[in-house]
Amino acid sequence: MLVDLLQPTGPDLARRWLAALSMVPKDEREDVIQSVEAEILKQYGDQDQTGL
């Protein structure tokens, strides 16, 4: 799955995500990740799950 995420934009996407996440205080990162996951599910969760 990680390889699939890197295909459209290359490894730059992973670097950007990690750089942004590293700016968040360590004790708040889990909350940020949960928030991002919830937003992704809200936006894209109803789409066809083919290919996952």
Coordinates of all heavy atoms in Angstrom, one line a residue:
M1 N 0.8 -1.2 0.0 CA 0.0 0.0 0.0 C 0.9 1.3 0.0 O 0.6 2.2 -0.7 CB -0.9 0.0 1.2 CG -1.9 1.1 1.2 SD -3.2 0.8 2.3 CE -3.1 2.3 3.3
L2 N 1.9 1.3 0.8 CA 2.8 2.5 0.8 C 3.4 2.7 -0.6 O 3.5 3.9 -1.1 CB 3.9 2.3 1.8 CG 4.9 3.5 2.0 CD1 4.1 4.7 2.3 CD2 5.9 3.2 3.0
V3 N 3.8 1.7 -1.3 CA 4.3 1.8 -2.6 C 3.3 2.4 -3.5 O 3.6 3.3 -4.3 CB 4.8 0.4 -3.2 CG1 5.2 0.5 -4.6 CG2 5.9 -0.1 -2.3
D4 N 2.0 2.0 -3.4 CA 1.0 2.6 -4.2 C 0.8 4.1 -4.0 O 0.6 4.9 -4.9 CB -0.4 1.9 -4.0 CG -0.4 0.5 -4.5 OD1 0.4 0.2 -5.4 OD2 -1.2 -0.3 -4.0
L5 N 0.9 4.5 -2.7 CA 0.8 5.9 -2.4 C 2.0 6.8 -3.0 O 1.8 7.9 -3.3 CB 0.8 6.1 -0.9 CG -0.5 5.6 -0.1 CD1 -0.3 5.7 1.4 CD2 -1.7 6.4 -0.6
L6 N 3.1 6.2 -3.1 CA 4.3 6.9 -3.6 C 4.3 7.0 -5.1 O 5.0 7.9 -5.7 CB 5.6 6.2 -3.2 CG 5.8 6.2 -1.6 CD1 7.0 5.4 -1.3 CD2 5.9 7.6 -1.1
Q7 N 3.5 6.2 -5.8 CA 3.6 6.2 -7.3 C 3.1 7.5 -7.9 O 3.9 8.0 -8.8 CB 2.7 5.1 -7.9 CG 3.2 3.7 -7.6 CD 4.6 3.5 -8.1 OE1 4.9 3.9 -9.2 NE2 5.5 2.8 -7.3
P8 N 2.0 8.1 -7.6 CA 1.6 9.3 -8.3 C 2.5 10.5 -8.2 O 2.7 11.3 -9.1 CB 0.2 9.7 -7.7 CG -0.2 8.4 -7.0 CD 1.0 7.7 -6.6
T9 N 3.1 10.7 -7.1 CA 3.9 11.9 -6.9 C 5.3 11.6 -6.5 O 6.1 12.5 -6.2 CB 3.3 12.8 -5.8 OG1 3.3 12.1 -4.6 CG2 1.9 13.3 -6.1
G10 N 5.7 10.3 -6.4 CA 7.0 9.9 -6.0 C 7.2 10.1 -4.5 O 6.3 10.4 -3.7
P11 N 8.4 9.9 -4.0 CA 8.7 9.9 -2.6 C 8.6 11.3 -2.0 O 8.6 11.5 -0.8 CB 10.2 9.5 -2.5 CG 10.7 9.6 -3.9 CD 9.6 9.5 -4.8
D12 N 8.4 12.4 -2.8 CA 8.2 13.7 -2.3 C 7.0 13.8 -1.4 O 7.0 14.5 -0.4 CB 8.1 14.7 -3.4 CG 8.0 16.1 -2.9 OD1 8.9 16.5 -2.2 OD2 7.0 16.8 -3.3
L13 N 5.9 13.1 -1.7 CA 4.7 13.1 -0.9 C 5.0 12.6 0.5 O 4.6 13.2 1.5 CB 3.6 12.2 -1.6 CG 2.3 12.1 -0.8 CD1 1.6 13.4 -0.7 CD2 1.4 11.1 -1.5
A14 N 5.7 11.5 0.6 CA 6.1 10.9 1.9 C 7.0 11.9 2.7 O 6.7 12.1 3.9 CB 6.8 9.6 1.7
R15 N 7.9 12.5 2.0 CA 8.8 13.5 2.7 C 8.0 14.7 3.2 O 8.2 15.2 4.3 CB 9.9 14.0 1.7 CG 11.0 13.1 1.6 CD 12.2 13.7 0.9 NE 11.9 14.1 -0.5 CZ 12.1 13.4 -1.5 NH1 12.6 12.2 -1.4 NH2 11.8 13.8 -2.7
R16 N 7.0 15.2 2.4 CA 6.2 16.3 2.8 C 5.3 15.9 4.0 O 5.2 16.7 5.0 CB 5.3 16.8 1.7 CG 6.1 17.5 0.6 CD 5.3 17.8 -0.7 NE 4.1 18.4 -0.3 CZ 3.0 18.5 -1.1 NH1 3.0 17.8 -2.3 NH2 1.9 19.1 -0.8
W17 N 4.7 14.7 4.0 CA 3.9 14.3 5.1 C 4.7 14.2 6.4 O 4.3 14.7 7.4 CB 3.2 13.0 4.8 CG 2.5 12.4 5.9 CD1 2.8 11.2 6.5 CD2 1.4 12.9 6.7 NE1 2.0 10.9 7.5 CE2 1.1 11.9 7.7 CE3 0.6 14.0 6.6 CZ2 0.1 12.1 8.6 CZ3 -0.4 14.2 7.5 CH2 -0.7 13.3 8.5
L18 N 5.9 13.6 6.3 CA 6.7 13.4 7.5 C 7.3 14.8 8.0 O 7.3 15.0 9.2 CB 7.9 12.5 7.2 CG 7.5 11.0 7.0 CD1 8.7 10.2 6.6 CD2 6.9 10.5 8.3
A19 N 7.6 15.7 7.1 CA 8.1 17.0 7.5 C 6.9 17.7 8.2 O 7.2 18.4 9.3 CB 8.5 17.8 6.3
A20 N 5.7 17.7 7.7 CA 4.6 18.3 8.3 C 4.3 17.7 9.7 O 4.1 18.4 10.7 CB 3.4 18.3 7.5
L21 N 4.3 16.4 9.8 CA 4.0 15.7 11.0 C 5.1 16.0 12.1 O 4.8 16.1 13.3 CB 3.9 14.2 10.8 CG 3.3 13.4 11.9 CD1 2.0 13.9 12.4 CD2 3.3 11.9 11.5
S22 N 6.3 16.2 11.6 CA 7.4 16.4 12.6 C 7.3 17.8 13.2 O 7.9 18.1 14.3 CB 8.8 16.2 11.9 OG 9.0 17.3 11.0
M23 N 6.5 18.7 12.6 CA 6.3 20.0 13.2 C 5.3 20.0 14.4 O 5.3 20.9 15.2 CB 5.8 21.0 12.1 CG 6.8 21.2 11.0 SD 6.1 22.2 9.6 CE 5.7 23.7 10.4
V24 N 4.5 18.9 14.4 CA 3.6 18.8 15.5 C 4.2 18.3 16.8 O 5.1 17.4 16.7 CB 2.4 17.8 15.1 CG1 1.4 17.6 16.2 CG2 1.8 18.3 13.8
P25 N 4.0 18.9 17.9 CA 4.6 18.4 19.2 C 4.3 16.9 19.3 O 3.2 16.4 19.0 CB 3.9 19.2 20.3 CG 3.4 20.4 19.6 CD 3.1 20.0 18.2
K26 N 5.3 16.1 19.8 CA 5.2 14.7 19.8 C 4.0 14.2 20.5 O 3.3 13.2 20.1 CB 6.5 14.1 20.5 CG 6.6 12.6 20.4 CD 8.0 12.2 20.9 CE 8.2 10.7 20.7 NZ 9.5 10.3 21.2
D27 N 3.6 14.8 21.6 CA 2.4 14.3 22.4 C 1.1 14.6 21.7 O 0.1 14.2 22.2 CB 2.5 14.9 23.8 CG 2.4 16.4 23.9 OD1 2.9 17.0 22.9 OD2 2.0 16.9 24.9
E28 N 1.1 15.4 20.6 CA -0.1 15.7 19.9 C -0.2 15.0 18.6 O -1.2 15.1 17.9 CB -0.2 17.2 19.6 CG -0.3 18.0 20.9 CD -0.3 19.5 20.6 OE1 -0.7 19.9 19.5 OE2 0.1 20.3 21.5
R29 N 0.8 14.3 18.2 CA 0.9 13.7 16.8 C -0.2 12.6 16.6 O -0.8 12.6 15.6 CB 2.2 13.0 16.6 CG 3.3 14.1 16.3 CD 4.6 13.4 16.1 NE 5.6 14.5 16.1 CZ 6.9 14.3 16.3 NH1 7.4 13.1 16.4 NH2 7.8 15.3 16.3
E30 N -0.5 11.8 17.6 CA -1.5 10.8 17.5 C -2.9 11.4 17.2 O -3.6 10.9 16.3 CB -1.6 9.9 18.7 CG -2.6 8.7 18.6 CD -2.3 7.8 17.5 OE1 -1.1 7.5 17.2 OE2 -3.2 7.2 16.9
D31 N -3.2 12.5 17.9 CA -4.4 13.2 17.6 C -4.5 13.8 16.2 O -5.5 13.7 15.5 CB -4.6 14.4 18.6 CG -4.9 13.9 20.0 OD1 -5.3 12.7 20.2 OD2 -4.6 14.6 21.0
V32 N -3.4 14.3 15.7 CA -3.3 14.9 14.4 C -3.6 13.8 13.4 O -4.3 13.9 12.4 CB -2.0 15.6 14.1 CG1 -1.8 16.0 12.6 CG2 -1.9 16.9 15.0
I33 N -2.9 12.6 13.6 CA -3.1 11.5 12.6 C -4.5 11.0 12.6 O -5.1 10.8 11.6 CB -2.1 10.3 13.0 CG1 -0.7 10.8 12.7 CG2 -2.4 9.1 12.3 CD1 0.4 9.9 13.3
Q34 N -5.1 10.9 13.8 CA -6.5 10.5 13.8 C -7.4 11.5 13.1 O -8.4 11.1 12.5 CB -6.9 10.3 15.3 CG -6.3 9.1 15.9 CD -6.7 8.9 17.4 OE1 -7.4 9.7 18.0 NE2 -6.2 7.9 18.0
S35 N -7.1 12.8 13.3 CA -7.9 13.8 12.6 C -7.8 13.7 11.1 O -8.8 13.8 10.4 CB -7.5 15.2 13.1 OG -8.1 16.2 12.4
V36 N -6.6 13.5 10.6 CA -6.4 13.4 9.2 C -7.1 12.1 8.7 O -7.7 12.1 7.6 CB -4.9 13.4 8.8 CG1 -4.6 13.0 7.4 CG2 -4.2 14.7 9.2
E37 N -6.9 11.0 9.4 CA -7.6 9.8 9.0 C -9.1 10.0 8.9 O -9.8 9.5 7.9 CB -7.2 8.6 9.9 CG -5.8 8.1 9.8 CD -5.5 7.1 10.8 OE1 -6.1 7.1 11.9 OE2 -4.5 6.3 10.6
A38 N -9.7 10.6 9.9 CA -11.1 10.9 9.9 C -11.5 11.7 8.7 O -12.6 11.5 8.1 CB -11.5 11.5 11.2
E39 N -10.7 12.7 8.4 CA -11.1 13.6 7.3 C -11.0 12.8 6.0 O -11.9 13.0 5.1 CB -10.1 14.8 7.3 CG -10.5 15.8 6.2 CD -11.8 16.5 6.4 OE1 -12.4 16.5 7.5 OE2 -12.4 16.9 5.3
I40 N -10.0 12.0 5.8 CA -9.9 11.2 4.6 C -11.1 10.3 4.5 O -11.7 10.1 3.4 CB -8.6 10.4 4.6 CG1 -7.4 11.4 4.4 CG2 -8.5 9.3 3.5 CD1 -6.0 10.8 4.6
L41 N -11.5 9.6 5.5 CA -12.6 8.7 5.5 C -13.9 9.5 5.2 O -14.8 9.0 4.4 CB -12.8 8.0 6.8 CG -11.8 6.9 7.1 CD1 -11.9 6.3 8.5 CD2 -12.0 5.7 6.0
K42 N -14.0 10.7 5.7 CA -15.2 11.5 5.5 C -15.3 11.9 4.0 O -16.3 11.9 3.4 CB -15.1 12.8 6.4 CG -16.3 13.7 6.2 CD -16.2 14.8 7.3 CE -16.2 16.1 6.5 NZ -16.0 17.3 7.4
Q43 N -14.1 12.3 3.4 CA -14.1 12.7 2.1 C -14.1 11.6 1.0 O -14.8 11.7 0.0 CB -12.8 13.5 1.8 CG -12.7 14.8 2.5 CD -13.7 15.8 2.0 OE1 -13.9 15.9 0.8 NE2 -14.3 16.6 2.8
Y44 N -13.5 10.4 1.4 CA -13.3 9.4 0.4 C -13.8 8.0 0.8 O -13.7 7.1 0.0 CB -11.8 9.3 0.0 CG -11.3 10.6 -0.5 CD1 -10.5 11.3 0.3 CD2 -11.6 11.0 -1.8 CE1 -9.9 12.6 -0.1 CE2 -11.0 12.2 -2.2 CZ -10.2 13.0 -1.4 OH -9.7 14.2 -1.9
G45 N -14.3 7.9 2.0 CA -14.8 6.6 2.5 C -15.9 6.0 1.8 O -16.0 4.8 1.8
D46 N -16.7 6.7 1.1 CA -17.9 6.2 0.4 C -17.6 5.7 -1.0 O -18.4 5.2 -1.7 CB -19.0 7.2 0.4 CG -19.6 7.4 1.8 OD1 -19.5 6.5 2.6 OD2 -20.2 8.5 2.0
Q47 N -16.4 6.0 -1.4 CA -16.0 5.6 -2.8 C -15.8 4.1 -2.9 O -15.6 3.4 -1.9 CB -14.7 6.3 -3.2 CG -14.8 7.8 -3.3 CD -13.6 8.4 -3.8 OE1 -12.6 7.8 -4.1 NE2 -13.6 9.7 -3.9
D48 N -15.8 3.6 -4.1 CA -15.6 2.2 -4.4 C -14.3 1.7 -3.8 O -13.3 2.4 -4.0 CB -15.7 1.9 -5.9 CG -15.5 0.5 -6.2 OD1 -15.7 -0.4 -5.4 OD2 -15.2 0.2 -7.4
Q49 N -14.2 0.7 -3.1 CA -13.0 0.2 -2.4 C -12.2 -0.7 -3.3 O -11.2 -1.3 -2.8 CB -13.3 -0.5 -1.1 CG -14.1 0.4 -0.1 CD -13.2 1.5 0.4 OE1 -12.0 1.3 0.7 NE2 -13.7 2.7 0.3
T50 N -12.5 -0.8 -4.6 CA -11.7 -1.6 -5.5 C -10.3 -1.1 -5.6 O -10.0 0.1 -5.7 CB -12.3 -1.6 -6.9 OG1 -13.7 -1.9 -6.8 CG2 -11.6 -2.5 -7.8
G51 N -9.3 -2.0 -5.5 CA -7.9 -1.6 -5.6 C -7.2 -1.4 -4.3 O -6.0 -1.1 -4.3
L52 N -8.0 -1.4 -3.2 CA -7.3 -1.3 -1.9 C -6.7 -2.6 -1.4 O -7.2 -3.6 -1.7 CB -8.3 -0.7 -0.9 CG -8.7 0.7 -1.1 CD1 -9.7 1.1 0.0 CD2 -7.5 1.7 -1.0

